[in-house]
Amino acid sequence: MEQGRLTKKERHELILSEVRRSASIRISKLARRIGVAGETIRRDLIELGEAGLLNRTYGGATISLVTSEPAISERGLTMVEERARIGRGAAGLIEKGQIVMIDGGSTTYEVARNLSQLARNLTVITNSTGVASVTGANPTFRVILCPGTYDSREGSVLGEDTVEFARRYNADIAIIGASGLTVDGPNDMISGAAAVKRAMISRALSTMLVVTNDKFGRASLERVCALGDIADIVTDVEPQAELRAAIEEAGTELHVFAGS
């Protein structure tokens, strides 16, 4: 594959992908892998470091991935096209007049943004200020924003008040994201977010998980639920064989919206 013609965005995504494979990686190796000059890689690392997506070691010779979840604004810088495809695909699966719970996250926001462009007469219940704002712009939607303690990094409210509020409602579908997805099910780096997801799942007739392919095989702090608790998984690439087999065994329907 010709790597030298990659755009900056494509280089950044490839750099982050390479770093995920190992705890650290050298500039020289990245330059050979991508087919650009070392100075170009250094500039890329500076930008990614400033965005909080990775840490550069002394002298900029090696890099290491941040172990905690980046803020939602930072996560929005990567996998942009993949989330856009997932957002369009997932929105197309929602029927008119449904009550939809949507939790906070960069991928769930894309679903909400795409839903907001449709005349669906939905009731949207969310703990995300971003989701509430974008869906609230649609005059055919009724939007209910959960109360709670605001987490600025997540752009969402979390906590006991949020969980208890969500449990007051019934929904046709809960749309959730995740920090990772393994054969054990979706997981999340933030316990408060995981609790809100579980509350939404418990009140919905079905649950849709929306995840980009970089979450496959990634296990973070807290398990949200079992694969069998998820009715639909919407993603951008076919999962690896082991994960795909587990999804099929759980009876979960997989929707893959791949690029051209």
Side-chain angles (χ1 to χ4, degrees):
M1 182 174 67
E2 179 64 39
Q3 299 284 9
R5 296 182 181 178
L6 294 180
T7 64
K8 180 193 287 188
K9 172 182 171 295
E10 290 169 336
R11 286 201 313 273
H12 284 188
E13 291 183 357
L14 186 52
I15 287 170
L16 291 171
S17 176
E18 289 294 312
V19 174
R20 289 188 188 103
R21 292 191 176 95
S22 58
S24 64
I25 194 166
R26 294 195 171 275
I27 288 175
S28 57
K29 183 176 180 180
L30 281 170
R32 289 194 302 272
R33 170 74 177 86
I34 299 175
V36 296
E39 191 57 37
T40 300
I41 296 297
R42 286 188 180 88
R43 289 194 295 269
D44 288 338
L45 297 187
I46 290 171
E47 290 185 25
L48 290 168
E50 289 175 347
L53 296 173
L54 50 78
N55 290 330
R56 294 195 305 131
T57 59
Y58 178 74
T62 61
I63 55 178
S64 59
L65 192 64
V66 175
T67 55
S68 61
E69 185 87 319
I72 189 168
S73 60
E74 298 163 357
R75 299 199 298 273
L77 297 174
T78 63
M79 308 294 284
V80 175
E81 294 177 7
E82 291 84 353
R83 281 199 308 277
R85 294 200 301 272
I86 291 169
R88 287 192 298 271
L93 299 174
I94 305 303
E95 300 176 5
K96 289 183 178 180
Q98 286 193 316
I99 301 170
V100 184
M101 288 183 168
I102 308 178
D103 90 308
S106 54
T107 307
T108 51
Y109 175 82
E110 275 300 308
V111 180
R113 188 179 68 80
N114 280 273
L115 280 173
S116 71
Q117 299 171 25
L118 305 173
R120 292 289 172 87
N121 299 302
L122 301 178
T123 297
V124 176
I125 303 167
T126 185
N127 67 319
S128 164
T129 55
V131 169
S133 177
V134 74
T135 54
N138 187 317
T140 73
F141 287 10
R142 179 190 181 198
V143 179
I144 300 171
L145 179 61
C146 298
T149 302
Y150 183 65
D151 184 331
S152 60
R153 286 181 58 83
E154 291 302 302
S156 301
V157 292
L158 304 172
E160 292 182 9
D161 290 341
T162 312
V163 170
E164 289 304 313
F165 187 84
R167 285 177 177 160
R168 288 169 46 183
Y169 293 89
N170 298 312
D172 294 295
I173 188 167
I175 303 174
I176 67 168
S179 298
L181 177 64
T182 70
V183 295
D184 291 326
N187 53 76
D188 204 278
M189 183 67 70
I190 302 170
S191 291
V196 172
K197 295 177 201 294
R198 282 193 289 269
M200 290 182 171
I201 292 169
S202 72
R203 303 306 303 170
L205 295 177
S206 68
T207 299
M208 176 189 296
L209 174 68
V210 291
V211 286
T212 49
N213 71 82
D214 58 323
K215 306 297 177 63
F216 295 162
R218 182 187 295 181
S220 56
L221 179 65
E222 188 166 335
R223 181 176 183 253
V224 174
C225 65
L227 278 175
D229 296 323
I230 305 294
D232 299 272
I233 294 176
V234 182
T235 188
D236 58 293
V237 171
E238 278 282 334
Q240 302 92 329
E242 182 183 12
L243 181 55
R244 176 61 193 261
I247 291 170
E248 291 179 352
E249 185 177 350
T252 302
E253 188 168 354
L254 183 67
H255 308 265
V256 179
F257 294 94
S260 55

